[in-house]
Amino acid sequence: MAHHSTPSSQKALMMELKSLQDQPVEGFRIGLVEESDLYNWEVAIFGPPNTLYEGGYFKSHIKFPIDYPYSPPTFRFLTKMWHPNIYENGDVCISILHPPVDDPQSGELPSERWNPTQNVRTILLSVISLLNEPNTFSPANVDASVMFRKWRDSKGKDKEYAEIIRKQVVSTVAEAERDGVKVPTTLAEYCVQTRVPSQDSSSDLLYDDLYDDDMEEEEEDEEEEENDMESGGEAGGTSEGGVTTRCYDDDQEDSGNEDS
């Protein structure tokens, strides 16, 4: 029987999906839009506590190219978002998701753009950081950028921007209830990590199919990566029941949102 090779991008995405299920990023729920399609992920984002987005439940999609991780994915919010770095159609404008080309007109350094060492985890942390710390120098939504600056410069006295965000947050409550999701509203709840339940049989078949020839080698690589993460957790957070817990503030330096 002829052997059909699996694209390296599928193997990379399966590894990342498994890693995020085993060691979730605070503030997100992640899954596949369709169980058989690794190139389209659905992400639910919880608004970080102590920000305007606290209590919000924001749905989005990540779409990966066939040559991932050499080209960046796209990140689009399905929930209506009013933000300086989010286009009207929901697309997120952030340096880390821009192709790695030299474009002096953009005002971005090549080092700020996408490179193959980035991954879904760094994208998610960048989006969280972006929500609370917009880049207003090259905004995707000029009106939102002007309004945000007024709110920031007035130290909250100009409430127009904050009121729009809070209305959007309130509008997401019903959807969270429909999905049976309890949105964290305190920092303690937000920072708790829980392991995702085991995948169903169809996922196991997909996993087995992707790793039939080189499972042992990739498992060893994964174990080394997890060991590195665990050792890094000693500096960035605490470990409870084998799961490293960190809060998004610990990773803001990797936000990648210097320019949109």
Side-chain angles (χ1 to χ4, degrees):
M1 181 181 295
H3 176 71
H4 299 284
S5 61
T6 301
S8 60
S9 55
Q10 287 192 28
K11 294 183 178 182
L13 288 169
M14 178 57 79
M15 291 282 286
E16 289 201 49
L17 183 62
K18 185 176 185 298
S19 173
L20 287 167
Q21 289 171 340
D22 290 343
Q23 294 184 316
V25 176
E26 297 87 350
F28 288 86
R29 288 184 53 172
I30 298 173
L32 300 178
V33 175
E34 295 182 5
E35 198 66 38
S36 60
D37 184 3
L38 279 169
Y39 293 96
N40 287 281
W41 293 21
E42 58 183 7
V43 181
I45 301 174
F46 301 141
N50 304 322
T51 73
L52 294 178
Y53 294 91
E54 177 180 312
Y57 179 68
F58 308 104
K59 288 189 169 182
S60 58
H61 278 174
I62 305 178
K63 187 172 184 178
F64 299 90
I66 193 67
D67 62 343
Y68 178 84
Y70 300 102
S71 294
T74 58
F75 194 107
R76 172 176 291 184
F77 277 99
L78 305 180
T79 304
K80 188 71 175 176
M81 302 292 287
W82 182 254
H83 188 281
N85 306 117
I86 300 175
Y87 289 102
E88 187 175 351
N89 68 353
D91 283 347
V92 173
C93 183
I94 189 171
S95 297
I96 193 177
L97 294 180
H98 292 169
V101 297
D102 189 5
D103 181 10
Q105 300 298 322
S106 69
E108 296 175 340
L109 297 173
S111 60
E112 296 170 344
R113 290 173 169 251
W114 178 264
N115 67 69
T117 65
Q118 306 287 4
N119 53 43
V120 176
R121 192 178 295 269
T122 58
I123 294 170
L124 298 182
L125 293 170
S126 296
V127 172
I128 284 184
S129 179
L130 188 72
L131 287 180
N132 198 39
E133 298 181 2
N135 167 35
T136 59
F137 293 104
S138 54
N141 184 328
V142 176
D143 292 338
S145 180
V146 171
M147 199 178 293
F148 169 79
R149 286 188 177 189
K150 288 181 179 178
W151 172 77
R152 181 192 60 193
D153 296 344
S154 70
K155 300 187 184 302
K157 291 181 180 179
D158 188 309
K159 300 181 183 298
E160 188 177 12
Y161 182 80
E163 288 175 352
I164 290 177
I165 302 303
R166 293 314 301 174
K167 286 179 181 178
Q168 290 183 335
V169 168
V170 171
S171 70
T172 68
V173 172
E175 184 145 24
E177 291 177 350
R178 284 195 298 269
D179 290 350
V181 174
K182 183 182 183 302
V183 178
T185 56
T186 67
L187 198 59
E189 292 175 342
Y190 188 86
C191 289
V192 169
Q193 290 183 333
T194 55
R195 291 189 181 279
V196 175
S198 299
Q199 296 292 293
D200 58 24
S201 57
S202 61
S203 298
D204 291 338
L205 290 173
L206 175 62
Y207 184 83
D208 290 342
D209 180 61
L210 289 174
Y211 289 86
D212 52 0
D213 289 333
D214 51 0
M215 182 66 130
E216 291 184 2
E217 178 181 349
E218 294 186 358
E219 279 185 342
E220 290 176 359
D221 292 341
E222 184 184 5
E223 287 177 2
E224 291 178 1
E225 180 182 349
E226 290 179 350
N227 289 335
D228 291 341
M229 288 181 179
E230 289 175 0
S231 62
E234 294 176 1
T238 59
S239 181
E240 300 175 4
V243 180
T244 302
T245 58
R246 294 184 304 177
C247 217
Y248 72 98
D249 286 333
D250 296 329
D251 292 84
Q252 283 186 350
E253 63 182 11
D254 296 325
S255 62
N257 65 335
E258 293 84 355
D259 294 283
S260 61

